[in-house]
């Protein structure tokens, strides 16, 4: 599978494949037509409680990733959908976080890729 991550604030390009927003909240300052989404799958995002606990703190990332992976196991329909999309070609998971390394999209991409 070819699953990648990209900030939604970066311009879309032809190499993105299918573009899926994986945040629970719509990103500030992004018009829906500018996002060029194939899907907004907010249900796959971390729970509000986990998102608030994490607060994008790199020190909490390892624990956040473990907790988020646990949440993903309870979302079989959503994860199956993303696996099907990835099987069709490149899948780009979009996120709004400023931190390009420590965010839910990277955890989800690793999980989908079996890492």
């Amino acid at each position: 599978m070819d699953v990648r991550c990209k900030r939604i604030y970066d311009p879309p390009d032809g190499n993105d494949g299918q573009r899926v927003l994986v945040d629970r909240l719509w990103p500030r300052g992004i018009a829906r037509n500018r996002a060029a989404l194939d899907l907004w799958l907010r249900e796959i995002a971390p729970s509000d409680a986990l998102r608030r606990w994490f607060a994008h703190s790199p020190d909490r990332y390892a624990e956040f990733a473990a907790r988020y992976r646990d949440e993903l196991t309870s979302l079989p329909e959503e994860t199956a959908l993303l696996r099907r999309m990835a099987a069709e070609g490149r899948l780009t998971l979009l996120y709004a976080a400023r931190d390009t390394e420590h965010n839910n999209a990277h955890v989800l991409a690793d999980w989908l890729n079996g890492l």
Side-chain angles (χ1 to χ4, degrees), residues 6-7 14 21 32 37 45 56 64 71 74 78 83 90 95-96 106 109 114:
K6 185 176 184 177
R7 283 192 84 216
L21 177 61
R32 292 190 190 254
L37 294 181
H56 297 286
F64 166 77
E71 289 186 357
S74 68
E78 292 83 355
R83 287 185 194 280
R90 180 169 294 155
Y95 62 92
H106 284 282

Side-chain angles (χ1 to χ4, degrees), residues 37-84:
L37 294 181
D38 292 292
L39 178 65
W40 178 18
L41 192 59
R42 68 182 90 182
E43 299 84 6
I44 201 82
S47 65
D48 284 335
L50 180 56
R51 183 177 55 84
R52 287 185 184 122
W53 173 83
F54 175 46
H56 297 286
S57 171
D59 294 338
R60 292 183 175 179
Y61 185 69
E63 179 66 20
F64 166 77
R67 291 183 187 187
Y68 183 38
R69 283 191 296 270
D70 285 344
E71 289 186 357
L72 289 171
T73 61
S74 68
L75 300 168
E77 292 177 20
E78 292 83 355
T79 55
L81 172 61
L82 289 178
R83 287 185 194 280
R84 283 192 306 272

Side-chain angles (χ1 to χ4, degrees), residues 20-40:
V20 179
L21 177 61
V22 294
D23 286 346
R24 190 167 301 276
L25 305 174
W26 186 262
R28 291 182 183 187
I30 295 290
R32 292 190 190 254
N33 61 342
R34 180 177 158 222
L37 294 181
D38 292 292
L39 178 65
W40 178 18

Side-chain angles (χ1 to χ4, degrees), residues 3-23:
V3 180
R4 300 179 180 204
C5 299
K6 185 176 184 177
R7 283 192 84 216
I8 195 162
Y9 298 101
D10 295 336
D13 70 47
N15 294 322
D16 287 343
Q18 295 188 76
R19 295 169 47 90
V20 179
L21 177 61
V22 294
D23 286 346

